[in-house]
Amino acid sequence: MQSYHSSVMATSGTAEYDLMYYLKGAAAGGICCSITHGALTPVDVVKTRVQLDPVKYNSGLVGGFRQIIAEEGAMALTTGLGATAAGYFVQGWFKFGGVEYFKIQAVEKMGEEAAWNNKTAIYLGAAAGAETIADIFLCPLEAVRIRSVSDPEFCDGLADGAVKMFKTEGIGGFYAGLVPILGKQVPYTMAKFAVQGKAADAIYGSMGKTPAELSSGTNICVSLASGVVAGVASAIISHPADTLLSKVNKKGAGGEGSMMTRLMRIAGETGFVNLCTVGLLPRCIMIGTLTAGQFGIFDTVMGALGASKFHFHNPNSDK
């Protein structure tokens, strides 16, 4: 049986996939998610406001920017920046690091040829497992972020918001949005990695080259282009759950009852079409840009850390 070392070595020559590789992948994931989500905080503020109050914020993305600046000042667009940067560093650490770990473990267990033939399924499974773990850590920080965006008077920062939420709602307040965040993030991440992998393969195939045969700059360009495609696809798939997540973290949303009761009530009040479409354009812009940036930054940071990103390898191409 083919050994783990030989099977994964073939994907990138001299790279060794040990604990240090996974730590570098996790660090690169944390950095890329923190930077991209933090940079797009203003877009996310507008998107969240549109989802929470579409009657008031009904003039589109640009109009939403103008309205918020006119009513609250430009700094309102940075609301939740601290929670966003911290939360998505943690999420990116487990998400990207976890996907790398689960992909390589799949190659070890299945062998190169079987892994190559089933790489989409591996992407989907690795992404689902990694994202579920990541969301357990992200959920409390995301709850504070959404509360601060929906109610700018709620807190003066991440620490202040966390203390206030704990005092008023207990630990349950931090995980009120766990079901919708899993419903949003798991399909989003599955689509993100699977579509990006497919799109990247198509680009490399059209060039008649493998990643190992191209420069790091060209590989980053492929990651950026495939990331845009993956971002738009995953934004559309996960948008209804994103809308529910924004609404359920608003104080008093959904009334009394269990989490599922509140979610069902919010979904019924909002309507299926609105769940799927309200705020979708700014989210596609945001997630398309964000996803492309994440894959580009991830590859760049991995290179800076002296690591070569794992790629599936077709053993038949060596024959």
Side-chain angles (χ1 to χ4, degrees), residues 106 110 112-124 312:
M110 299 170 65
E112 265 195 320
E113 185 168 1
W116 173 260
N117 293 332
N118 294 279
K119 59 182 183 291
T120 298
I122 293 172
Y123 274 125
L124 293 172
F312 288 104

Side-chain angles (χ1 to χ4, degrees), residues 298-319:
F298 179 81
D299 287 3
T300 301
V301 174
M302 286 288 279
L305 294 174
S308 181
K309 180 182 174 180
F310 173 86
H311 291 281
F312 288 104
H313 174 70
N314 181 7
N316 295 319
S317 65
D318 297 332
K319 296 178 182 178

Side-chain angles (χ1 to χ4, degrees), residues 242-258:
D242 182 67
T243 302
L244 281 176
L245 177 63
S246 294
K247 288 182 177 294
V248 79
N249 278 301
K250 186 176 182 179
K251 187 176 182 180
E256 300 297 325
S258 67

Side-chain angles (χ1 to χ4, degrees), residues 11-266:
T11 61
S12 60
T14 60
E16 289 189 21
Y17 299 96
D18 54 9
L19 176 61
M20 187 55 64
Y21 172 82
Y22 295 126
L23 289 175
K24 290 176 180 178
I31 291 169
C32 76
C33 286
S34 183
I35 290 174
T36 52
H37 278 278
L40 287 171
T41 295
V43 177
D44 202 35
V45 168
V46 176
K47 173 190 71 69
T48 303
R49 295 287 184 90
V50 170
Q51 290 173 322
L52 293 175
D53 194 350
V55 175
K56 179 178 180 180
Y57 299 98
N58 60 4
S59 53
L61 179 62
V62 175
F65 274 106
R66 291 173 176 167
Q67 188 172 351
I68 291 171
I69 292 172
E71 294 177 356
E72 304 173 40
M75 288 303 293
L77 295 173
T78 66
T79 303
L81 176 59
T84 298
Y88 282 95
F89 180 87
V90 173
Q91 190 229 28
W93 176 279
F94 288 102
K95 175 162 66 176
F96 277 84
V99 167
E100 291 299 301
Y101 175 79
F102 289 131
K103 284 193 304 183
I104 293 170
Q105 290 303 304
V107 175
E108 177 185 1
K109 297 295 189 296
M110 299 170 65
E112 265 195 320
E113 185 168 1
W116 173 260
N117 293 332
N118 294 279
K119 59 182 183 291
T120 298
I122 293 172
Y123 274 125
L124 293 172
E131 186 61 53
T132 299
I133 295 169
D135 287 346
I136 293 171
F137 293 92
L138 171 66
C139 195
L141 295 158
E142 185 72 349
V144 175
R145 181 194 72 80
I146 291 176
R147 180 64 60 82
S148 65
V149 171
S150 64
D151 181 7
E153 303 299 321
F154 174 68
C155 64
D156 295 321
L158 173 59
D160 180 50
V163 170
K164 286 183 176 178
M165 184 170 285
F166 181 75
K167 285 182 177 178
T168 57
E169 302 176 38
I171 193 69
F174 292 111
Y175 286 96
L178 181 59
V179 172
I181 204 173
L182 288 171
K184 162 193 158 185
Q185 288 294 134
V186 172
Y188 158 73
T189 301
M190 292 171 70
K192 169 179 169 177
F193 281 95
V195 173
Q196 192 271 339
K198 280 282 190 183
D201 284 347
I203 294 171
Y204 286 122
S206 69
M207 299 169 67
K209 300 285 187 180
T210 66
E213 295 173 320
L214 298 170
S215 68
S216 60
T218 302
N219 282 323
I220 290 172
C221 288
V222 172
S223 293
L224 290 170
S226 57
V228 171
V229 177
V232 173
S234 55
I236 294 170
I237 289 170
S238 62
H239 189 67
D242 182 67
T243 302
L244 281 176
L245 177 63
S246 294
K247 288 182 177 294
V248 79
N249 278 301
K250 186 176 182 179
K251 187 176 182 180
E256 300 297 325
S258 67
M259 178 52 55
M260 289 306 299
T261 299
R262 291 175 60 202
L263 289 172
M264 293 298 292
R265 194 176 292 133
I266 292 169

